[in-house]
Amino acid sequence: MNSIRIYLVLLFLGFGLHYAHGQSYHFKTSGFSVLEKTEKGKWGEWSNLDLVNLSVILDTDKHRIVVYSQEIQLFKILDYIEREENDTDIVYSFMCKDNDGKECKLSIITRKKQDYRKQLYINYDDHIIVYNIFNV
């Protein structure tokens, strides 16, 4: 009987430690916009904001960020960049590789002076995608 109790205690501890180790953050999008470089290599203008309702998951246990758009965007986190904060923003950034193996930088930015509005920036060399996001 004691061996069963010990087994059950170890089982519950194992589940508890596993749960505490991984963090998963869930967001929804409300809109997105794109900025592209021109043929001359200069940044153009942001596209009009398109309304979109997508799920975004940051999973630090699996080291990935997933945007559940029509074509799922999977970003493998290669490096966690130190948190930055200034008077206007709080920024969490990640160096990633996307589905096609292209390197990019993802940043979750909280705008302090805009009612703590959150945005997800996906930065490539030639274009940037921004999603307005909120916690779920």
Side-chain angles (χ1 to χ4, degrees):
M1 193 65 154
N2 279 340
S3 63
I4 293 174
R5 284 185 185 165
I6 291 172
Y7 177 74
L8 287 173
V9 168
L10 290 175
L11 183 67
F12 285 118
L13 283 175
F15 281 127
L17 290 175
H18 176 72
Y19 179 75
H21 180 267
Q23 289 262 352
S24 187
Y25 302 91
H26 299 261
F27 304 96
K28 284 284 192 181
T29 65
S30 60
F32 82 99
S33 183
V34 178
L35 176 66
E36 295 180 302
K37 281 192 176 177
T38 65
E39 293 174 9
K40 295 181 180 180
K42 296 189 179 195
W43 291 107
E45 297 201 15
W46 286 101
S47 67
N48 290 332
L49 185 71
D50 286 329
L51 301 180
V52 64
N53 181 13
L54 305 173
S55 292
V56 176
I57 297 177
L58 164 60
D59 189 335
T60 59
D61 190 37
K62 294 180 181 177
H63 306 289
R64 68 183 190 181
I65 298 170
V66 184
V67 179
Y68 289 95
S69 54
Q70 189 170 0
E71 184 176 319
I72 294 177
Q73 302 170 60
L74 174 63
F75 301 94
K76 180 181 178 186
I77 299 173
L78 305 173
D79 190 24
Y80 294 81
I81 299 172
E82 190 172 332
R83 175 183 182 264
E84 299 175 42
E85 185 170 356
N86 57 39
D87 291 341
T88 59
D89 300 321
I90 302 169
V91 182
Y92 293 91
S93 294
F94 315 88
M95 292 307 300
C96 299
K97 273 198 179 178
D98 69 9
N99 302 25
D100 299 324
K102 294 180 186 174
E103 287 196 13
C104 53
K105 179 181 176 183
L106 275 70
S107 299
I108 297 174
I109 301 175
T110 302
R111 307 289 185 187
K112 292 180 179 178
K113 294 185 177 180
Q114 297 177 17
D115 291 327
Y116 289 85
R117 177 171 69 105
K118 288 182 175 37
Q119 295 181 301
L120 170 65
Y121 281 82
I122 304 171
N123 295 278
Y124 290 94
D125 290 335
D126 60 347
H127 69 285
I128 301 171
I129 302 167
V130 63
Y131 289 97
N132 291 326
I133 59 174
F134 57 91
N135 295 57
V136 243

